[in-house]
Amino acid sequence: MRTQLNHEKSPSRTSGKTMFSAILLTVLIPFLILYGNWLLVDFFRDTSLNPIFLTLIAVVWGSIGFFAIYAGLNWMISSYPERLKKTIQPWVFVGPALLLLIWLLLAPAIRTLWLSFHDPQGEVLVGLENYITIFTDRSMLLSIINTLLWVLFGATSCVVLGLLVAILADRSSFERTAKAIIFMPIAISFVGAGVIWKFIYAYRPPGEEQIGLLNAIVQFFGGEPQAWTTLFQPWNTFFLIIILIWMQTGFAMVLFSAAIKGVPEEIMEAARIDGASEVRIFFSIIIPYIKNTIIAVTTTIVIFTLKIFDIVMVMTGGKYGTEVIATKFYKEYFLYHNTGTGSALAILLLIAVIPVILMNVFSVKKEEGF
Amino acid sequence: MNKKKRGKWIVNTVLFVICLIWVLPTAGLLVSSFKSAGDINESGWWKIFPHREWITQETVSLPEDTNVDEPIQIGSVILTDEELREGAVQEGGKRLIWGNRLTKEVAIQEKNWVMNLNFTADNYKFVLMGSTYEIVDENGFKKKMQGDHLFRAFLNSIAVTVPSTLIPLTVATFSAYGFAWMRFPGKRMLFFTVVGLLVIPIQVALVPIYKDFISIGINGSYLSVWLAHTAFGLPLTTYFMHNYISQIPKDIFESAFMDGASHFKIFSRLILPLSIPAIASIGIFQFIWVWNDYLISLVFLGGIPEAKVLTMKLADMIGTRGDQWHLLTSGAFISLILPLTIFFLLQRYFVKGMLGGSVKG
């Protein structure tokens, strides 16, 4: 932004004094912004202050600091001549957002794409070799297949269960409580949920007192306790998927619930008078009516599930045949330093996400055409 | 009418069962976090509900020289050592079992209704402040153990989350205003690009960002995590705030412009206060998202032990304290308490943020 301003230095007739202050501010403010933040980073690295104070300083720095940047830039351009000010002002508002997005999203995506065609050192072009590896190597293939399982079973269950609960809640006598309960896990971190479900799945040898709820129930009915998430292969992935279902069904339910409330009561009443059963009403009226919401919810959960990382990482670390693309990517990159295959896996995720989002946008567009 | 009533009854029952399944995992965590290490390891947390259990009525001391390798006479019955270990149920519902095999004490037990209601807040002390504690293992030995410092991690989580919520909101609100109410070349195209960046998964951008942060020397600082969260949150928050700000009636601006107010003044005096409900909605969303994030913190703060946030600490504990459930459960609950409180207090805003953020997106 600074260089751009220097090029456009106004030719209009401003007094020397304002000209001087404009140049001074143009140099000074960006410098202060960078220097101030750099000082703070340094301070935090070396400090041994009480953590409570540090947290306070960090919160103030983070919250006021960024607003101050905008205020400073605005002050800077307010000293400019009128015409220049008008041209630059919009960029003060949208510029920081664009810079951040280009630096931290767009450019990295392009660089990852570039890396995915190169060797681990990022020097030699290897063409499609990394992509061939991720589709032929057994452990890579396993992670891709597992991710598909997650999407297929996890996302579908969330949508179906969410719809079911939304319909039931709508007709029940305790709608608000029920919805709050089903929705609550969305506020829980995957790591926290990992602890919760590890405890549910806790395993002890047969005959001992079980402290995991699931094994206690199994043993009570005369079954044999299992190590559900580890040795119980190949079904262990499904016991991890259950955690996702527990967490995301509430999301689907809330959106469906809002959509169902929008179905006109008269249409359903008319159908009832004509003798349609509730099941018929559900499939012939409600479902078509909320079709777009169903698509939106499904795509959101599918995208979310494609990127699933925390549950697997916390529950099994990707061992026992539970690896998914995101955990494999993490290991390839940060543990084995295979930047090429790691990048290829990340690009695979990106490619998988795009059609899902397009489908979403497309369906919404079509709706507007009506 | 009767049929309708029965239908409602079925709906209520099914929904109740589903709700029960949904709430049990969290309930189990909460209950267990208040039980002592010994209690958790001995029996399931659900034993807080009334259930029948063998309760010792009296103990009988056998002579010191009793040989446990031969059948043992207790009162009128003769039992083997094996049977006494397992517990032998007698006529009349009494059970004989070793009370203490070393001192040759036999317990006479009866089945009674009981509830295990021994609660303690000690777990939280161990796990928050890192104080030491003792546990008695299965052989009767006392072991001294070191707790965890989750309080520090809690502070770190706050230092990461509050700015990581406010910064993207600030940046997004400014840019949303710019996109909605200012004129500049390429506006539409740029806006679509910003929203289009929603498709980029975190994983794709993570590594180049990581390298950049190392080369400019901010890796491992709070700033690095804030910036990363800001970038990942920006497309959605910008889109959401744009939806809201672009619908503010035009006359509000016009009268302000007449009075000679600048864009910056209109923004900070007028638009910002007007946008508070929308900011709250998407802000809660972002807050909970950042608080619960594991991957981004792991990558950018992973190398610095004292900067670890709650999710990282908890994940570490799962690895190192695999079966110390009294610490894991209380640790997990500490990480849940803030998002859950926000969730229940501000549920309406949260739902609004979600409806706006995903159905349209």
Side-chain angles (χ1 to χ4, degrees):
Chain A
M1 182 154 289
R2 207 162 101 197
T3 49
Q4 188 188 344
L5 291 176
N6 286 334
H7 285 306
E8 291 176 21
K9 217 46 344 108
S10 153
S12 63
R13 277 170 288 137
T14 38
S15 70
K17 201 177 159 197
T18 48
M19 181 92 160
F20 176 72
S21 74
I23 294 172
L24 190 71
L25 284 177
T26 310
V27 176
L28 207 62
I29 285 176
F31 171 76
L32 277 180
I33 290 169
L34 291 176
Y35 188 65
N37 280 302
W38 184 70
L39 270 186
L40 279 162
V41 170
D42 245 23
F43 165 73
F44 269 83
R45 188 177 300 130
D46 306 329
T47 187
S48 51
L49 219 67
N50 185 319
I52 297 179
F53 288 118
L54 280 184
T55 306
L56 271 176
I57 297 172
V59 167
V60 173
W61 169 22
S63 351
I64 300 179
F66 262 75
F67 195 85
I69 291 179
Y70 284 96
L73 289 176
N74 187 65
W75 186 38
M76 177 180 92
I77 64 159
S78 66
S79 64
Y80 291 173
E82 201 54 38
R83 265 189 58 200
L84 188 62
K85 190 166 120 187
K86 260 213 160 109
T87 328
I88 294 178
Q89 183 131 51
W91 301 105
V92 171
F93 276 71
V94 300
L98 293 177
L99 282 181
L100 276 174
L101 285 172
I102 290 170
W103 176 32
L104 299 174
L105 270 183
L106 198 58
I110 295 166
R111 280 161 71 189
T112 301
L113 185 67
W114 186 86
L115 278 176
S116 74
F117 293 112
H118 286 75
D119 71 333
Q121 279 72 45
E123 284 159 3
V124 184
L125 188 75
V126 295
L128 288 174
E129 201 175 283
N130 292 320
Y131 289 92
I132 294 169
T133 308
I134 63 172
F135 281 110
T136 48
D137 182 83
R138 276 187 66 155
S139 66
M140 304 266 184
L141 263 183
L142 179 72
S143 72
I144 294 174
I145 292 169
N146 277 338
T147 305
L148 288 178
L149 281 181
W150 275 84
V151 171
L152 205 62
F153 290 96
T156 317
S157 311
C158 288
V159 172
V160 172
L161 254 175
L163 196 53
L164 177 74
V165 175
I167 295 275
L168 287 178
D170 193 43
R171 278 131 217 261
S172 75
S173 338
F174 47 98
E175 181 177 359
R176 281 194 55 177
T177 321
K179 275 160 75 176
I181 287 175
I182 307 287
F183 194 36
M184 182 203 64
I186 205 132
I188 294 175
S189 67
F190 279 117
V191 182
V195 175
I196 292 178
W197 283 87
K198 261 197 170 221
F199 196 42
I200 297 270
Y201 292 148
Y203 166 78
R204 290 195 171 172
E208 279 185 35
E209 177 99 19
Q210 299 291 336
I211 60 166
L213 185 59
L214 186 58
N215 275 325
I217 292 172
V218 167
Q219 189 158 300
F220 180 80
F221 286 108
E224 187 160 311
Q226 297 284 350
W228 304 106
T229 55
T230 54
L231 300 176
F232 195 53
Q233 291 181 39
W235 305 108
N236 52 355
T237 291
F238 291 92
F239 284 90
L240 298 182
I241 294 178
I242 287 176
I243 305 174
L244 175 91
I245 298 171
W246 180 70
M247 298 189 74
Q248 292 297 311
T249 296
F251 168 78
M253 175 206 67
V254 166
L255 298 189
F256 287 142
S257 185
I260 288 170
K261 298 249 185 288
V263 180
E265 196 55 43
E266 307 91 71
I267 301 184
M268 292 199 279
E269 212 41 61
R272 280 195 195 106
I273 289 166
D274 288 347
S277 68
E278 289 296 318
V279 177
R280 178 85 197 276
I281 290 175
F282 176 72
F283 283 106
S284 308
I285 297 176
I286 297 181
I287 294 261
Y289 211 92
I290 63 168
K291 202 184 82 206
N292 277 320
T293 311
I294 295 180
I295 293 174
V297 169
T298 312
T299 48
T300 311
I301 297 185
V302 164
I303 291 169
F304 189 81
T305 313
L306 277 172
K307 298 188 268 184
I308 201 83
F309 170 81
D310 310 30
I311 296 184
V312 179
M313 203 64 186
V314 166
M315 294 295 285
T316 63
K319 293 193 283 274
Y320 311 104
T322 57
E323 200 86 86
V324 289
I325 294 179
T327 55
K328 190 74 189 165
F329 152 83
Y330 180 82
K331 286 183 185 167
E332 283 294 310
Y333 227 123
F334 292 98
L335 297 184
Y336 314 142
H337 301 291
N338 288 332
T339 46
T341 42
S343 306
L345 282 169
I347 294 296
L348 181 68
L349 275 184
L350 176 63
I351 293 170
V353 165
I354 288 174
V356 184
I357 289 196
L358 281 183
M359 189 180 124
N360 191 1
V361 174
F362 205 65
S363 78
V364 174
K365 272 267 158 59
K366 234 169 46 194
E367 165 78 349
E368 283 168 358
F370 267 99
Chain B
M1 207 59 208
N2 213 353
K3 199 179 155 197
K4 210 170 180 182
K5 247 185 190 162
R6 215 183 61 198
K8 184 120 186 165
W9 189 82
I10 293 173
V11 165
N12 282 341
T13 318
V14 174
L15 191 62
F16 180 78
V17 172
I18 295 177
C19 287
L20 197 67
I21 295 172
W22 241 254
V23 88
L24 268 182
T26 324
L29 179 89
L30 181 60
V31 170
S32 302
S33 73
F34 285 105
K35 306 214 101 201
S36 70
D39 262 6
I40 296 182
N41 282 325
E42 260 165 38
S43 59
W45 59 269
W46 51 89
K47 294 277 163 76
I48 58 159
F49 297 114
H51 62 280
R52 281 165 69 91
E53 200 173 83
W54 292 106
I55 303 295
T56 304
Q57 302 291 322
E58 52 181 315
T59 51
V60 181
S61 292
L62 301 177
E64 280 287 326
D65 55 353
T66 307
N67 186 353
V68 293
D69 294 331
E70 291 167 9
I72 305 154
Q73 171 131 26
I74 306 154
S76 58
V77 291
I78 295 171
L79 294 167
T80 59
D81 178 39
E82 185 79 1
E83 283 172 318
L84 274 173
R85 279 186 207 216
E86 297 268 309
V89 182
Q90 307 298 311
E91 280 168 54
K94 295 209 168 180
R95 184 172 85 157
L96 296 176
I97 193 166
W98 281 122
N100 187 333
R101 193 160 162 270
L102 292 178
T103 56
K104 307 276 165 3
E105 269 174 31
V106 174
I108 302 171
Q109 298 178 323
E110 229 171 43
K111 232 179 188 178
N112 266 334
W113 284 99
V114 285
M115 297 191 276
N116 297 1
L117 293 176
N118 303 321
F119 294 117
T120 165
D122 282 352
N123 299 339
Y124 286 91
K125 224 162 55 196
F126 304 147
V127 95
L128 270 177
M129 293 310 188
S131 51
T132 54
Y133 63 98
E134 283 185 343
I135 51 167
V136 184
D137 66 7
E138 55 268 40
N139 300 320
F141 288 116
K142 279 185 180 172
K143 267 201 293 190
K144 262 216 154 97
M145 307 280 277
Q146 176 77 38
D148 275 283
H149 282 97
L150 283 192
F151 182 67
R152 182 68 201 268
F154 191 90
L155 289 177
N156 289 336
S157 272
I158 290 190
V160 163
T161 310
V162 174
S164 293
T165 308
L166 292 176
I167 295 172
L169 282 175
T170 312
V171 178
T173 315
F174 269 105
S175 72
Y177 177 88
F179 280 123
W181 294 105
M182 294 172 122
R183 243 175 282 161
F184 54 94
K187 186 167 102 167
R188 268 180 75 84
M189 203 258 314
L190 282 172
F191 181 67
F192 281 124
T193 313
V194 168
V195 179
L197 289 175
L198 263 176
V199 299
I200 296 184
I202 296 178
Q203 282 86 357
V204 174
L206 216 48
V207 178
I209 298 180
Y210 175 73
K211 286 182 180 162
D212 277 1
F213 283 175
I214 287 182
S215 59
I216 61 171
I218 62 167
N219 193 57
S221 70
Y222 289 133
L223 185 66
S224 66
V225 196
W226 298 342
L227 286 176
H229 274 301
T230 302
F232 293 130
L234 259 184
L236 183 67
T237 36
T238 304
Y239 176 73
F240 186 87
M241 290 313 299
H242 180 265
N243 272 355
Y244 187 86
I245 290 179
S246 63
Q247 275 160 18
I248 293 173
K250 212 174 173 180
D251 3 331
I252 294 183
F253 297 87
E254 273 165 359
S255 54
F257 271 124
M258 297 280 214
D259 295 342
S262 70
H263 271 299
F264 191 78
K265 207 166 193 178
I266 292 176
F267 177 83
S268 49
R269 298 274 165 80
L270 251 155
I271 302 305
L272 218 50
L274 274 175
S275 310
I276 292 293
I279 293 177
S281 297
I282 197 73
I284 295 164
F285 202 69
Q286 173 83 2
F287 184 93
I288 293 184
W289 200 87
V290 175
W291 184 271
N292 288 341
D293 156 77
Y294 174 50
L295 179 61
I296 294 178
S297 318
L298 184 64
V299 170
F300 295 116
L301 295 176
I304 298 142
E306 62 270 22
K308 283 187 174 174
V309 296
L310 271 176
T311 45
M312 294 164 78
K313 262 298 217 213
L314 201 57
D316 285 355
M317 281 171 69
I318 295 176
T320 55
R321 300 179 181 275
D323 51 359
Q324 285 164 292
W325 288 111
H326 62 297
L327 297 184
L328 279 176
T329 51
S330 48
F333 196 72
I334 288 167
S335 81
L336 303 186
I337 188 86
L338 196 60
L340 278 186
T341 313
I342 291 175
F343 172 78
F344 280 116
L345 286 182
L346 304 171
Q347 210 189 116
R348 272 187 46 215
Y349 283 109
F350 187 65
V351 171
K352 254 191 212 153
M354 230 171 56
L355 288 174
S358 52
V359 168
K360 289 172 186 162

